[in-house]
Amino acid sequence: MKTKSFTIASFFIICLFTLTSMTAVQDTQIFEGVYDGNEDYGYNFIGMDEDGEEFTMTFQNIDDVLLKSFNLNTDKLVGSKFTVSYTSKTEKSEDEDGYEDDVEVYTITALKKL
């Protein structure tokens, strides 16, 4: 009886580790675009969609170590093309009227200048 319980518990622990590691891999996404500068609300990159239309992707956060390698707070890199690896997280935000809203927060985790 103890062996059966141990086997079932082991199976569930392995499933838990497998599922949590899969979500971490799926959480990182890649974007290719031209750096367009930063504002108070984030770092802007211009990309192209499937139809050839330009759109702006804004990243609210960047890893501090990465910011030392690529100083996006200056205008030196504006116009440079990058491959951006990023993660996204949904956070709750409350407006001035007290209404809650889900806000998607994008964090740059890696940059590669093209």
Side-chain angles (χ1 to χ4, degrees), residues 56-67:
T56 301
M57 182 85 174
T58 301
F59 300 93
Q60 290 80 11
N61 301 314
I62 184 170
D63 184 80
D64 290 335
V65 175
L66 191 58
L67 193 56

Side-chain angles (χ1 to χ4, degrees), residues 2-106:
K2 288 183 181 181
T3 305
K4 184 178 180 182
S5 297
F6 179 75
T7 304
I8 292 171
S10 297
F11 174 75
F12 284 120
I13 290 172
I14 291 171
C15 289
L16 175 70
F17 285 124
T18 302
L19 290 174
T20 56
S21 66
M22 286 176 58
T23 56
V25 170
Q26 293 174 352
D27 196 28
T28 301
Q29 299 174 1
I30 296 176
F31 169 81
E32 191 174 293
V34 176
Y35 182 57
D36 193 41
N38 70 320
E39 303 290 335
D40 292 338
Y41 53 84
Y43 303 94
N44 298 317
F45 289 80
I46 306 294
M48 297 286 228
D49 64 10
E50 301 86 31
D51 299 327
E53 299 289 324
E54 286 187 351
F55 69 97
T56 301
M57 182 85 174
T58 301
F59 300 93
Q60 290 80 11
N61 301 314
I62 184 170
D63 184 80
D64 290 335
V65 175
L66 191 58
L67 193 56
K68 289 180 182 178
S69 299
F70 297 96
N71 189 357
L72 299 180
N73 292 324
T74 66
D75 289 338
K76 287 182 179 179
L77 295 173
V78 171
S80 300
K81 191 170 187 176
F82 287 93
T83 297
V84 182
S85 297
Y86 67 96
T87 58
S88 62
K89 180 173 67 170
T90 303
E91 295 181 354
K92 296 272 186 208
S93 174
E94 189 173 304
D95 66 9
E96 61 274 355
D97 296 326
Y99 294 105
E100 280 192 359
D101 193 20
D102 289 337
V103 177
E104 199 73 24
V105 177
Y106 299 106

